[in-house]
Amino acid sequence: MTAVREVRAFVRTRRRRAPVGALDRYAGLIMTAIAVAVLGRPVADAVAGLRGPADLAGVAPGVAVTLVALAGGLALARAVGPVALSGSDAGWLVMSPLDRRAVLGRPLRVLAVVALVTGGVLGLALLALVGAPDHLVWRLVAAMVVGVSATAGGMALAVLAQTSHTWHLWLTAVVVALLVTAAVAAVGTARASLTTAAVTGTTAGAAAAVGNGAEAPFRGVVEAVAGAPLGAVAAVAAVAALASALLVGRAWARADRIPAAALLTSSARAGHLATAAVSLDTGALTWMAEDNHWRARRLRSVRWPSLPAPLALAWQDWLRTARRPWRLAATFAAAALPALLALAGAGAVAGAAVLGGALAVAAAGVSGARRDGDNPALARLLGVGRRPALLARALLPALTSGVWAALALAGLSLAGALPPVGAWWLMGPLLAPALAAAALRMARRRPVDHSLPILDTGSGAIPLGPVFWAATGPDLALIGALPLVNALMFTPATLTATLVAQAVTGAAVLAAYVLRAR
């Protein structure tokens, strides 16, 4: 430990950096006090509003969304590292004979702070879901303990996954278990909503008995969780804290066994993330992920498929998608998220999640168009015209995004979040051409132009370069989805005219983009 401190002190003495004076510390304290004063009252009001029983109908979908978010965070931590150093420390200190646990002390402390903050947010979300019928302060403390224990234990498990393949399998099992639990909660919610609709739509006693029988076990679990006594809540918090402490202690004990190759890889990924964040070019992350995917693989030469030239050019995107079936299955399983958000009470967010999720699914199938835009000389050597190539590359994103949007809208209809005026799921295939055009536009857009001016507004300065870059692509999606957005905001008497308008708008957006593509 002393040797590591001496090395870092020597590095600090060699850096040309202005010393931090008393005025800088004073300004930092003042800004912290202002932030606490500004955010303290809204947070206190939000906590005070949690008093009372929760809405039982929104507990299960809210828990499902929370579990999906926790599983996504663990998967992201597994993909990034999570323990990462700067490029200089990874290339120097990691390979030196210094104590590796002491070298990794700083990133481990950063991970602890991240786990603490996210755990606090998770605890507040859990308390907002189950409510606080009594003893608000103690239930708040228990919820914070459970949230922090979940995030700290998950982060410790991700750190252990860096040390050995066995712990990596355990982390994968935890992520799968969280997703399965969320799926069970989602299925139970959908079943309860369907049986409730059946009971309200008929007066037969047999239908009511079937509905109550199907809903009773699921509703009993929800009521038990929402109305648990304070002693049971404290016991759950104690068990969660104990399990988290064991995992954190195990991770700290095995921190010196993280292989140097894993640290170098995670540090390179962290450097890529930092570069993309500083340059505000998130498209670079796609290139980095693709390069990392192919770097360790041996490529072999195969014949081109017996297809027309534009379709043969786009066949690689289909192969790339088919070679990752688990990712494709997870993508379509995520179509249930808008319905869960609607059942949890976030109806407006659910509508936006349909369009945003479908656009993200479409953007996952346009790697070929991204490569053509990055290297137009190679694209010209292939001998395929620009417009036929774009139309061929639009088939895959149109198919995947159309199916995803149809599933999401069908889920919203089953959840009762959409009025019964027609088959809403038909909007998905009709929206697909516009989503494909938006995805192609996102794939072929240029990097952020930081030379654009900064717009001064009453809320602060807004750089126009990142704004224009972020709007390139989603603007076509929004234009192409105007009939759907209008139907969600102003419920029509029937969906027939809206479906026709959506079909014409989606096809027109794709045709206009292909004709004007340069």
Side-chain angles (χ1 to χ4, degrees):
M1 179 68 72
T2 305
V4 174
R5 291 178 178 176
E6 292 177 355
V7 170
R8 294 193 181 278
F10 172 75
V11 172
R12 284 194 296 268
T13 58
R14 308 300 294 180
R15 291 177 179 173
R16 296 180 180 179
R17 183 180 298 176
V20 180
L23 184 60
D24 296 329
R25 295 189 178 90
Y26 174 76
L29 291 176
I30 290 297
M31 295 301 295
T32 303
I34 293 176
V36 171
V38 171
L39 299 177
R41 184 59 182 271
V43 172
D45 294 341
V47 172
L50 299 177
R51 190 184 303 274
D55 184 12
L56 296 180
V59 173
V63 170
V65 173
T66 304
L67 292 178
V68 170
L70 183 59
L74 292 179
L76 179 61
R78 182 184 61 179
V80 174
V83 181
L85 294 165
S86 62
S88 58
D89 289 350
W92 176 38
L93 295 181
V94 172
M95 307 303 295
S96 66
L98 296 174
D99 182 21
R100 183 161 296 178
R101 188 186 292 111
V103 172
L104 300 178
R106 183 178 300 174
L108 290 176
R109 288 193 294 269
V110 172
L111 291 179
V113 173
V114 172
L116 181 63
V117 174
T118 55
V121 176
L122 179 63
L124 289 176
L126 290 176
L127 187 61
L129 290 174
V130 301
D134 55 2
H135 302 93
L136 174 61
V137 177
W138 292 109
R139 289 184 181 271
L140 175 61
V141 172
M144 297 292 287
V145 170
V146 172
V148 173
S149 300
T151 54
M155 193 67 74
L157 195 59
V159 172
L160 288 171
Q162 276 187 287
T163 62
S164 66
H165 183 67
T166 303
W167 283 105
H168 185 84
L169 294 178
W170 277 107
L171 178 60
T172 304
V174 169
V175 173
V176 172
L178 290 175
L179 294 178
V180 170
T181 305
V184 170
V187 171
T189 304
R191 187 179 180 183
S193 61
L194 288 177
T195 53
T196 301
V199 170
T200 56
T202 182
T203 57
V210 172
N212 292 332
E215 187 182 355
F218 176 71
R219 188 175 181 86
V221 173
V222 172
E223 291 178 351
V225 173
L230 185 60
V233 173
V236 171
V239 172
L242 179 60
S244 176
L246 292 176
L247 284 175
V248 170
R250 184 68 172 173
W252 176 254
R254 294 180 62 89
D256 57 345
R257 300 184 184 180
I258 301 179
L263 291 175
L264 293 176
T265 302
S266 61
S267 299
R269 292 173 181 172
H272 295 333
L273 290 173
T275 301
V278 171
S279 60
L280 295 178
D281 186 9
T282 56
L285 298 178
T286 306
W287 283 111
M288 297 166 190
E290 187 170 354
D291 291 342
N292 292 331
H293 174 73
W294 292 109
R295 183 174 290 115
R297 285 168 171 79
R298 299 176 60 184
L299 304 180
R300 57 188 179 91
S301 179
V302 295
R303 296 182 59 184
W304 284 73
S306 300
L307 295 172
L311 296 179
L313 183 64
W315 184 244
Q316 57 179 332
D317 293 332
W318 293 79
L319 287 179
R320 186 179 180 85
T321 303
R323 286 169 179 169
R324 299 179 178 181
W326 290 108
R327 178 177 297 183
L328 190 63
T331 299
F332 288 117
L337 286 178
L340 292 178
L341 291 173
L343 292 173
V349 180
V354 173
L355 185 59
L359 181 57
V361 172
V366 291
S367 61
R370 186 179 298 109
R371 183 175 55 255
D372 291 346
D374 184 71
N375 194 345
L378 179 60
R380 287 193 296 268
L381 289 176
L382 294 175
V384 180
R386 183 181 299 108
R387 292 171 182 172
L390 286 177
L391 284 176
R393 294 195 185 280
L395 294 178
L396 177 62
L399 176 63
T400 54
S401 62
V403 173
W404 197 94
L407 293 176
L409 291 172
L412 286 176
S413 299
L414 292 177
L418 297 177
V421 294
W424 286 92
W425 66 269
L426 290 176
M427 285 285 187
L430 301 179
L431 182 65
L435 295 174
L440 291 173
R441 180 172 166 84
M442 291 172 61
R444 302 174 72 240
R445 60 187 171 187
R446 297 178 179 178
V448 179
D449 187 3
H450 295 285
S451 64
L452 293 178
I454 297 177
L455 182 63
D456 292 329
T457 63
S459 301
I462 300 177
L464 295 182
V467 172
F468 288 160
W469 182 88
T472 303
D475 54 353
L476 284 185
L478 185 59
I479 294 174
L482 283 179
L484 174 61
V485 174
N486 181 73
L488 292 176
M489 296 179 63
F490 310 100
T491 304
T494 178
L495 277 183
T496 304
T498 305
L499 291 173
V500 174
Q502 184 60 67
V504 173
T505 304
V509 167
L510 179 58
Y513 174 74
V514 172
L515 290 175
R516 291 180 58 86
R518 293 180 296 177

